Every structure is written in C-alpha cells, then in structure tokens.
Amino acid sequence: MSLTLCVMLWSVDGRQDDLAAYEDDVLALLGRHGARLVARVRNAETADDLPSEVQIIDVPSEAALAAYLDDPDRLAMGARREACVSRTELMRARYA
C-alpha cells in the first residue's frame, strides 16, 4: 500500500541553509527506494513555531519507507542532520 508523507522540518537557529543543503542530499536518495518528492517548500518567514521546510513525499510501501530510513548513505549523513535539524514531524497524509 502506498503512503503519502508530509514531512515538517525545523532548523537549528541560523542553520536554514545547512538544512536545505542536507535535504538536497538525502532527498536525492528517494528514487533508490521507489519514492518521489511531490513538493518541497521553504518558509519565507523566520518563526520558531513554524517549520523551516515542508515536503510531500510519495512512498510505494512501508518496506520502501523503512529501506529509505535505513539507507546507509542517509545514515552516514547523521552528523550533518544533527547539526542543522532541531525538530522533525512526520504526518501520514492523504490527498483530498
């Protein structure tokens, strides 16, 4: 069963550009797992209560999501993630 995910990311203060660069690299791995980025937007304002970036991602299955999350190249970027992402929320969504 396919999944639609809404991923909300908050950056560490002053690290919005680093978050965007990190996401450029990890999102490039989606295709390996049959997933695709549908939309990606960055917040035009600076507000701690709003996410810095929001993504809509379609994933073909739970197994594909697990494989993406466990991708060795993604995991190797963990230190970069820790340095620039302060919070992540993942919402399973559906198209209206």
Side-chain angles (χ1 to χ4, degrees):
M1 173 181 235
S2 65
L3 310 168
T4 298
L5 305 174
C6 177
V7 182
M8 296 162 282
L9 300 147
W10 284 257
S11 68
V12 170
D13 287 342
R15 304 293 301 265
Q16 292 87 349
D17 290 342
D18 295 330
L19 180 145
Y22 165 77
E23 289 299 320
D24 288 344
D25 292 341
V26 297
L27 291 170
L29 305 175
L30 286 171
R32 290 182 185 177
H33 307 286
R36 71 180 186 96
L37 180 66
V38 175
R40 179 181 180 192
V41 295
R42 294 187 186 125
N43 192 336
E45 302 176 2
T46 303
D48 291 339
D49 58 329
L50 298 174
S52 303
E53 182 167 313
V54 177
Q55 305 159 356
I56 304 297
I57 300 171
D58 284 342
V59 183
S61 66
E62 291 285 348
L65 176 58
Y68 169 71
L69 294 174
D70 291 335
D71 186 301
D73 291 333
R74 181 181 173 280
L75 295 175
M77 292 185 251
R80 282 180 64 197
R81 185 183 199 294
E82 290 292 319
C84 64
V85 179
S86 67
R87 176 176 154 202
T88 302
E89 288 190 25
L90 179 70
M91 179 178 73
R92 292 171 188 264
R94 62 187 157 119
Y95 292 102

